[in-house]
Amino acid sequence: MSQSTATVELDALIVGAGFSGLYQLHMLRNLRGLSVRVVEAGDSVGGTWYWNRYPGARCDSESHAYCYTFSKELTEEWDWSERYPGPDEILRYLNHVADRFELRPWLDLNRTVQSARFDQDSNRWQVECKDGNRYSAQFLITAVGCLSTANIPDIEGLDDFSGQWYHTGQWPRDGVDLSGCRVAQVGTGSTGIQAAPVIAEAAAHLTVFQRTANYSVPARNCALTDEVRQQQKRNAESIQQVMHSNTNGHPWKINPQNALDTAEHDRQAIYEQSWETGGLKFRAAFADLLTDNTANDTAATFIRNKIRQVVKDPETAASLSNIDHPYGAKRPPIDTHYFETFNRDNVDLVDLKKTPIVKIDRDGIQTSGGHHAVDVIVFATGFDAMTGSLLRMDIRGREKSLADAWVAGPSNYLGLQVAGFPNLFTITGPGSPSVLSNMPVSIEQHVEWITRCIDDVLAAGKTCIECTEDAMAGWVQHVNDVANATLLPTVKHSWYLGANVPGKPQVFMPYAGGLDQYRKACNDVATNGYEGFTLS
Ligand code: N01
């Protein structure tokens, strides 16, 4: 896309062409003839899935639920091939959506937003891109995802490393040939746990550097048969009804039974069955797993025992099962043969709790326990989650920048708006269920609410909607209260709290009160004349 000197005048500008940006574009294109564009840094649609193409990348939500539900025809015509889709298939799906709903003419690709300023005189957002292109829009909607800004650890000596290094979230599009390579993988979150088995297959040797041991449950990925696909399509309405009415947007209900009210023998049977079923549904085995430490211990012990049963070397098994936090209090990974990978001859584990990294040098990684010579380092070290991608856009409201407004951590109303930033909406922003839910369901809820809101503002003959400071303070308090009723904020190194990025304020960011409660809160606000917002 070349640079044009004229500012593009729009009703709404959307930033990002992933699941949220595409649906927001579709909805606003069909509203009152609004002029809308999407700017996207990548050269194609896809968002998270455009960038995350590391070995083993795969969605943790099940394919028939990790998709849009707004169009019956789309649900009917699209065939998923596996229980969990990989990036290529998700990208094919999103490209199909872009074509099917004729979205491409309004996508400005290869264009990165550099700054967005609210101009008080015109009541419009003035947006400038890195390539010099400019937009002016009444409404600015961020659809930048929650996990898009790579967190690359500041380890002494990385610049001296003579081999190649990569972050999983910025994986080269054409892949990396790891054959014959000695690979170091730093990080054992959801990404690292997906990547290690696949890297181990490809590389000559893999050393996994683990700082905090992690739980994982088998994903049990499989090809979908025609029969399963037909059944999912036949039952689409009832499946979607579950997804749209429960706490997490997944196509299942949480067992209402408490682990602590269940006899030991029955409890073990339920865990065994959940382990066999596999996937994130393990979290739904009992109702009290995320609210009661003793209940959580029963699940944690079950998984630790599974790890020890799988991993043959006792010292490795001890390091992998020495997990310091409640199950599910960090985002729980799911895997395909992760723990089994440590039984391979070409895989070693380095327990950084025992022997921390001292530095990186020309030839590899030096820990306090020894030197590990490697050709490639893979950083599976996560993201500056939820706020990173918003703050790097240099957004400036009436009086201050978003960075200044959020210096003590993100604060907003309903996860959707920040006081002092009129007509700015953040899809799946901090303070919304987002990462605690099946993302496409949360995205659809946000997009539909924003669309209704813009429609209502325009129908009322108004030009501006802005939340009040009081409403924002009340919501922030509520977000904290519902988080504190769970075990989620008790984990030290959690990205939910921003604790994984040095210097980032530690505030529990997502809304833990459940997607159902959240949906109701948003609907009530709209129905009550946009309580907590000022329309002008
Ligand atoms: O990142 P993470 P991720 N030295 O932050 C370690 C989503 N996701 O990319 O735990 C050594 O969870 C860090 O150690 P510790 C999902 O929501 C979705 O894995 O901080 N180690 C940890 O082990 C997920 O939660 C899918 O002690 C360092 C790891 O790096 C989110 O993305 C698939 C370090 C980072 O784990 C992020 O997952 C994959 C250092 N300096 C991911 N710094 C789906 O399928 C960090 N670590 C949808």
Side-chain angles (χ1 to χ4, degrees), residues 49 54 58-61 66 147 151 153-155 168 186-192 194 209-212 214 330-331 352-353 357 380-383 435 493 495 500:
W49 299 102
Y54 56 87
R58 193 170 284 286
C59 185
D60 286 348
S61 292
Y66 195 79
L147 298 157
N151 175 37
D154 185 15
I155 301 175
T168 48
V186 183
T188 54
S190 299
T191 300
Q194 288 184 336
F209 292 77
Q210 168 191 281
R211 189 164 67 181
T212 306
N214 215 339
K330 278 181 160 185
R331 160 63 154 73
L352 298 178
K353 284 261 155 64
I357 293 176
T381 44
F383 302 91
V435 293
H493 274 300
W495 61 258
N500 63 328

Side-chain angles (χ1 to χ4, degrees), residues 363-404:
D363 301 318
I365 300 183
Q366 177 73 47
T367 69
S368 64
H371 187 267
H372 302 269
V374 293
D375 308 302
V376 175
I377 302 175
V378 174
F379 289 108
T381 44
F383 302 91
D384 181 354
M386 306 208 74
T387 55
S389 302
L390 291 169
L391 293 177
R392 73 178 167 179
M393 280 192 288
D394 189 17
I395 299 174
R396 288 171 191 266
R398 283 189 198 285
E399 285 165 9
K400 50 174 119 160
S401 68
L402 194 59
D404 285 341

Side-chain angles (χ1 to χ4, degrees), residues 59-242:
C59 185
D60 286 348
S61 292
E62 297 190 34
S63 51
H64 69 292
Y66 195 79
C67 50
Y68 296 112
T69 62
F70 69 86
S71 160
K72 274 189 183 159
E73 296 75 20
L74 178 62
T75 304
E76 186 52 43
E77 75 202 12
W78 185 261
D79 285 333
W80 293 106
S81 68
E82 291 178 90
R83 179 175 176 188
Y84 304 95
D88 290 347
E89 189 162 22
I90 299 173
L91 289 175
R92 276 201 301 281
Y93 173 75
L94 290 175
N95 274 286
H96 169 72
V97 169
D99 290 331
R100 191 191 195 289
F101 297 99
E102 298 177 359
L103 303 177
R104 293 202 193 270
W106 294 279
L107 300 176
D108 289 352
L109 302 171
N110 292 312
R111 206 165 271 184
T112 305
V113 170
Q114 176 154 285
S115 66
R117 287 178 169 63
F118 184 73
D119 175 37
Q120 309 234 34
D121 296 332
S122 61
N123 262 350
R124 290 174 71 81
W125 284 94
Q126 308 297 343
V127 176
E128 187 150 350
C129 297
K130 283 193 177 150
D131 62 5
N133 279 287
R134 292 191 304 270
Y135 298 84
S136 166
Q138 185 177 355
F139 298 98
L140 177 63
I141 303 165
T142 64
V144 291
C146 299
L147 298 157
S148 314
T149 301
N151 175 37
I152 298 164
D154 185 15
I155 301 175
E156 186 197 327
L158 180 56
D159 289 346
D160 301 331
F161 182 55
S162 62
Q164 299 296 313
W165 66 266
Y166 306 93
H167 185 278
T168 48
Q170 299 170 339
W171 202 256
R173 197 162 168 178
D174 296 329
V176 179
D177 182 6
L178 295 173
S179 53
C181 293
R182 296 162 302 169
V183 179
Q185 177 188 306
V186 183
T188 54
S190 299
T191 300
I193 280 175
Q194 288 184 336
V198 182
I199 294 177
E201 290 273 347
H205 191 271
L206 169 66
T207 310
V208 176
F209 292 77
Q210 168 191 281
R211 189 164 67 181
T212 306
N214 215 339
Y215 302 96
S216 186
V217 169
R220 311 230 184 263
N221 188 34
C222 56
L224 294 179
T225 60
D226 279 342
E227 195 187 336
V228 168
R229 264 194 297 270
Q230 287 316 318
Q231 202 180 12
Q232 288 171 347
K233 288 186 189 192
R234 261 197 315 278
N235 298 327
E237 222 167 284
S238 58
I239 293 170
Q240 291 171 5
Q241 204 273 331
V242 172

Side-chain angles (χ1 to χ4, degrees), residues 454-492:
I454 290 176
D455 191 27
D456 289 343
V457 169
L458 298 177
K462 308 288 185 185
T463 55
C464 237
I465 178 160
E466 181 179 354
C467 73
T468 66
E469 291 279 356
D470 279 354
M472 192 164 82
W475 186 253
V476 169
Q477 186 59 50
H478 177 57
V479 170
N480 281 318
D481 290 346
V482 292
N484 288 333
T486 72
L487 302 175
L488 296 173
T490 63
V491 183
K492 269 191 297 176

